[in-house]
Amino acid sequence: MDEFEIYLVCPPGLETALLAEAQEKGFADPTANNGGVTIRGGWPEVWRANLELRCATRVLARIGSFMAFHLAQLDKRARRFEWGKVLRAEVPLQVQVTSRKSKIYHAGAAAQRIETALRDSHGFTVDAAAELVLKVRIEDNRVTLSLDTTGEALHKRGHKQAVGKAPLRETMAAAFLRQCGYDGREPVVDPMCGSGTIPIEAAEIAAGLAPGRTREFAF
């Protein structure tokens, strides 16, 4: 896979902020849609998006799709899919399925079929506790396969030692700062300082620090 679609997830309503950030960071063909932004690239872009984007919640690598109108067809096409081009048999993974407006409406049954196909066709280890997650979205009978390359959500930057009882998520703070027009040169006053999420994000933006610099990712 040299180039593929990469989906940047964000809270609904903050797509415009994430789109502007993706454009600013030089990602190819950014397009906003409900709940996120789509870009194109390869694995280096996946790694960079996880490391550099402040407004994204997680980064999904879309590895393929096909149509399926019933469980038997899903099973057959999942077995034929070239999983080996992306996944390694020695790395356990878990399968998460959502279904919407499709003839295959039972997400649990769909997950079972895909898990069996992964085991039987390529000998993969499927484990509900695995860090690597295969996200399967079935919508309008199209099955879209994505790898969650992030792991713990990106608002968990990895360098904050203490938080309040109900802290603002760092990704949302970064998006709000962007919506306010903050670029790292203006003074920031936060009357609701709490555990300091907004001032810390503002300071990191001003210092040019990558938000993911002190954490690990599922990839």
Side-chain angles (χ1 to χ4, degrees):
M1 293 176 63
D2 296 325
E3 186 178 283
F4 46 88
E5 193 173 272
I6 302 165
Y7 190 64
L8 312 172
V9 181
C10 71
L14 298 179
E15 296 90 348
T16 304
L18 178 55
L19 175 65
E21 185 181 23
Q23 291 170 331
E24 183 182 286
K25 294 294 184 181
F27 288 100
D29 303 325
T31 305
N33 45 64
N34 188 30
V37 171
T38 301
I39 60 173
R40 290 198 64 81
W43 296 112
E45 285 68 42
V46 167
W47 305 332
R48 188 163 72 86
N50 276 290
L51 176 67
E52 295 184 353
L53 291 176
R54 289 193 169 275
C55 300
T57 302
R58 59 184 62 251
V59 179
L60 305 180
R62 288 185 168 162
I63 60 173
S65 68
F66 52 81
M67 301 297 291
F69 295 90
H70 49 78
L71 289 172
Q73 192 173 50
L74 175 67
D75 180 89
K76 185 177 181 180
R77 293 187 174 176
R79 289 172 185 272
R80 287 181 175 177
F81 189 78
E82 295 181 301
W83 302 105
K85 285 188 174 182
V86 183
L87 302 173
R88 300 205 309 268
E90 69 272 19
V91 179
L93 76 159
Q94 61 167 295
V95 178
Q96 296 178 356
V97 177
T98 59
S99 181
R100 181 172 175 268
K101 297 191 295 184
S102 298
K103 292 185 177 181
I104 299 174
Y105 57 87
H106 195 300
Q112 267 189 338
R113 294 299 180 101
I114 293 169
E115 288 171 356
T116 302
L118 286 164
R119 291 189 188 99
D120 292 351
S121 63
H122 286 75
F124 290 118
T125 299
V126 180
D127 183 348
E131 186 176 10
L132 183 63
V133 179
L134 173 67
K135 289 184 176 290
V136 181
R137 190 183 81 240
I138 308 174
E139 186 167 2
D140 292 328
N141 303 305
R142 175 165 291 280
V143 181
T144 302
L145 309 170
S146 302
L147 283 179
D148 180 356
T149 68
T150 299
E152 280 198 309
L154 289 173
H155 75 273
K156 297 186 178 180
R157 305 294 200 213
H159 43 259
K160 200 171 189 180
Q161 297 300 309
V163 297
K165 287 185 178 180
L168 175 69
R169 291 192 171 189
E170 284 77 358
T171 46
M172 297 184 73
F176 296 159
L177 285 164
R178 180 171 286 275
Q179 288 177 325
C180 290
Y182 178 74
D183 64 3
R185 293 178 293 182
E186 302 88 351
V188 173
V189 178
D190 180 11
M192 305 172 292
C193 192
S195 56
T197 304
I198 292 175
I200 290 171
E201 286 296 307
E204 291 191 352
I205 292 168
L209 299 174
R213 67 191 183 278
T214 58
R215 58 161 284 168
E216 295 180 346
F217 306 97
F219 67 73

